[in-house]
Amino acid sequence: MNPPATFSELVWLARWPLLYGLGTTVAISLLAIIGGTVLGTLLGLVLTYGSRASRFGARLYTDFVRGTPVLVLVLASFYILGVAGLDLSAFQAGVLALTVFCSSHVGEVTRGALQSIHKGQGEAAKAIGLTFSQSFRHVLGPQALRLALPALINTAVEMVKASTLLSVIGVAELLLRTQEVISRTFQSLEFYLLAGFLYFAVNYAIERLGRYVERRTSLA
Amino acid sequence: MGMKQIIVGLMAAVSVASAVEQASAAKLEDVLARGKLVVGTGSTNAPWHFKDASDTLQGFDVDVAKIVAKALFGDVEKVEFVNQSSDARIPNITTGKVDMTCQFMTVTGERAQQVNFTIPYYREGVGLMLKEGGQYADYAALKAAGSSVTIAVLQNVYAEELVHKALPEATVDQYDAQDLLYQALQSGRADAAATDQSSIAWYVTQNPGQYKDGGYGWSPQSYACAVAKGDQDWLNFVNTALHEAMTGVEFDAYAASYKKWFGKDLAPPAIGFPVEFK
């Protein structure tokens, strides 16, 4: 009989599944964060500057999505959309659910940031003849970004963590890959710790990136 | 476990919502026309459905699905596995995401109201795993020792009751994960581990000469594949494939798989009068 493999040997043997899992986790998170940020920024603009009717619609969407557990969104986009005729793969359904969830959070963060900018700023921009898009690009946007950044980073980190829920519908992200390795090696504690470390590494990278952007955009 | 309840609740809602869909009754033709069988199973439970070191899905459930694929196409490889969690077994059938599910699914009356079970392909039970050359030789020795034996079991509301069905006086230690049971046994903190007999069979096979089965099983449950309701032809077909794997032309494939995952040889069915009418 072979001597029992050490943990580092087991990790080495499992390197590809775990790396693919990590890659899938990063891909899901990136897609959801990018999609959610684009959608959410638009949502925030509507929530702040939209007409009464569009504000109402955006508010309904935001409150409904924010009030629903992510897991329910994931299951709904996989099963209910499937029954409704939109047959998404598990990966697509998962990314869609996280994007929608992310957008509702970014929408609220954007609205909060825009509303905390003094009214005079927008009025001054208008007074010197800037169009709305110009004033957003050069006056309101940069200030809002500075205000919103900590909350945005927080949302991004939440998305990475929420991506673990996709294992329920069979997306082979890092958590599911880790569980697969555990079922072969019977070393749950060690491999969960390793997965925890990898999640931390991803989130730490996001946090550093956030700090970098914060420095670049700060006034000082 | 709030999360579990959410899943179960939503799954139930989806199952009801999709009940309308189940009417299409030509699954066999659909599968043959498609040229491959779509089977739902998991990837995190040895020896049923799990990945080997090169990331290939394997296990007894996987082999059973391949036997059905062979009956369809004469080719065990014409099967696509959909990775699903245990909670997704019934919804993935009722929403038509899979043609059938083979995922160590215990047959219960409640589930049989939602899906059609095939004939069972394994009878699971709880057993006791002991260390080879340890203080206690088998189940009888453990029982005779009364309250001085400690049994490791997976944490569960019914865990203590379950162990006491076989060993009424034993001390029960509950653990969070399967590997912790084995560690407790290995380190001597427990005298035996009570767990599924299939898990014991697999672990004993994986660690030759170190562990053994206590030779007593209790708490029986049937494992069967499941298909959508409303298509008797498809159910009959899968049943026929499974039946002939256990008693007829595909017995060798079934027995080889059984040997591989559970470490035991099966006696071939008696020739002559059909075994099932004995």
Side-chain angles (χ1 to χ4, degrees), chain B residues 3 24 27 46 48 53 78 92 105 148 179 183 261 263 271:
Chain B
M3 180 154 138
S24 72
K27 181 61 97 177
W48 294 97
K78 291 203 169 158
N92 277 2
M105 195 167 177
S148 61
D179 59 313
Q183 278 176 30
W261 305 116
I271 307 302

Side-chain angles (χ1 to χ4, degrees), chain B residues 223-254:
Chain B
Y223 284 172
C225 296
V227 298
K229 284 197 170 292
D231 191 341
Q232 188 64 44
D233 282 347
W234 177 235
L235 177 63
N236 283 355
F237 181 85
V238 179
N239 275 342
T240 303
L242 295 180
H243 186 267
E244 294 316 301
M246 291 181 278
T247 62
V249 286
E250 289 301 324
F251 176 78
D252 287 347
Y254 180 90

Side-chain angles (χ1 to χ4, degrees), chain A residues 47-70:
Chain A
L47 282 170
T48 319
Y49 303 116
S51 67
R52 183 181 280 264
S54 62
R55 271 207 318 266
F56 178 76
R59 171 56 51 205
L60 208 67
Y61 169 87
T62 310
D63 285 354
F64 178 74
V65 173
R66 277 204 312 164
T68 312
V70 195

Side-chain angles (χ1 to χ4, degrees), chain B residues 38-67:
Chain B
V38 179
V39 178
T41 197
S43 61
T44 58
N45 293 284
W48 294 97
H49 38 258
F50 67 114
K51 302 276 190 78
D52 66 9
S54 58
D55 211 33
T56 308
L57 195 64
Q58 56 174 4
F60 197 64
D61 283 335
V62 173
D63 288 347
V64 166
K66 285 181 174 175
I67 285 171

Side-chain angles (χ1 to χ4, degrees), chain B residues 1 23-24 36 60 74 79 85 87 99 109 117 120 128 139 176 188 205-206 218 235 241 250 257-258 264 266:
Chain B
M1 290 273 310
S24 72
K36 70 177 177 198
F60 197 64
V79 49
S85 65
D87 291 314
D99 300 323
F117 281 111
L128 292 160
Y139 168 68
D176 266 340
T205 314
Q206 286 304 102
W218 73 101
L235 177 63
E250 289 301 324
S257 175
Y258 197 94
K264 293 185 189 90
L266 289 176

Side-chain angles (χ1 to χ4, degrees), chain A residues 1 13 17 71-72 75-76 78-80 83 87 165 168-170 176-177 179-180 183-184 186-189, chain B residues 3 6-7 10-11 14 18 43-44 46 50-53 55 83 85 88 91-92 95 97 177 179 182 203 210:
Chain A
M1 192 202 142
L13 264 177
L71 181 60
V72 173
L75 294 173
F78 189 51
Y79 288 111
I80 295 178
V83 172
D87 209 4
L165 295 171
V168 174
I169 55 171
L176 185 57
R177 290 288 190 173
Q179 288 168 338
E180 289 176 356
S183 73
R184 182 176 70 242
F186 298 105
Q187 301 216 359
S188 60
L189 240 55
Chain B
M3 180 154 138
I6 292 172
I7 299 178
L10 199 88
M11 296 295 180
V14 167
S18 60
S43 61
T44 58
F50 67 114
K51 302 276 190 78
D52 66 9
D55 211 33
N83 197 348
S85 65
N92 277 2
T95 56
K97 289 191 186 288
D179 59 313
Y182 302 148
Y203 204 69
Q210 293 186 60

Side-chain angles (χ1 to χ4, degrees), chain A residues 12-209:
Chain A
W12 181 245
L13 264 177
R15 65 195 182 280
W16 292 118
L18 291 177
L19 281 174
Y20 283 133
L22 182 65
T24 308
T25 288
V26 169
I28 294 165
S29 309
L30 266 182
L31 288 171
I33 290 167
I34 293 171
T37 304
V38 171
L39 263 178
T41 308
L42 294 174
L43 200 62
L45 286 171
V46 172
L47 282 170
T48 319
Y49 303 116
S51 67
R52 183 181 280 264
S54 62
R55 271 207 318 266
F56 178 76
R59 171 56 51 205
L60 208 67
Y61 169 87
T62 310
D63 285 354
F64 178 74
V65 173
R66 277 204 312 164
T68 312
V70 195
L71 181 60
V72 173
L73 288 177
V74 170
L75 294 173
S77 76
F78 189 51
Y79 288 111
I80 295 178
L81 290 185
V83 172
L86 184 61
D87 209 4
L88 298 176
S89 73
F91 181 86
Q92 293 166 331
V95 168
L96 175 66
L98 290 186
T99 302
V100 165
F101 187 72
C102 185
S103 74
S104 72
H105 279 248
V106 173
E108 277 293 82
V109 168
T110 309
R111 180 189 64 81
L114 285 171
Q115 284 181 346
S116 63
I117 299 170
H118 194 276
K119 235 186 186 164
Q121 301 256 355
E123 287 165 1
K126 214 182 272 178
I128 60 168
L130 296 183
T131 64
F132 178 76
S133 78
Q134 281 173 329
S135 93
F136 181 72
R137 263 209 323 256
H138 301 296
V139 181
L140 302 172
Q143 297 186 70
L145 178 64
R146 202 177 303 137
L147 289 164
L149 212 51
L152 286 178
I153 295 307
N154 205 19
T155 305
V157 167
E158 286 301 321
M159 287 304 115
V160 176
K161 291 193 274 179
S163 72
T164 55
L165 295 171
L166 270 55
S167 63
V168 174
I169 55 171
V171 177
E173 43 68 72
L174 181 55
L175 181 65
L176 185 57
R177 290 288 190 173
T178 301
Q179 288 168 338
E180 289 176 356
V181 173
I182 290 171
S183 73
R184 182 176 70 242
T185 59
F186 298 105
Q187 301 216 359
S188 60
L189 240 55
E190 294 87 340
F191 276 102
Y192 277 134
L193 263 175
L194 178 66
F197 172 77
L198 292 173
Y199 278 111
F200 173 77
V202 172
N203 282 337
Y204 189 71
I206 292 178
E207 199 228 343
R208 295 313 303 178
L209 181 72

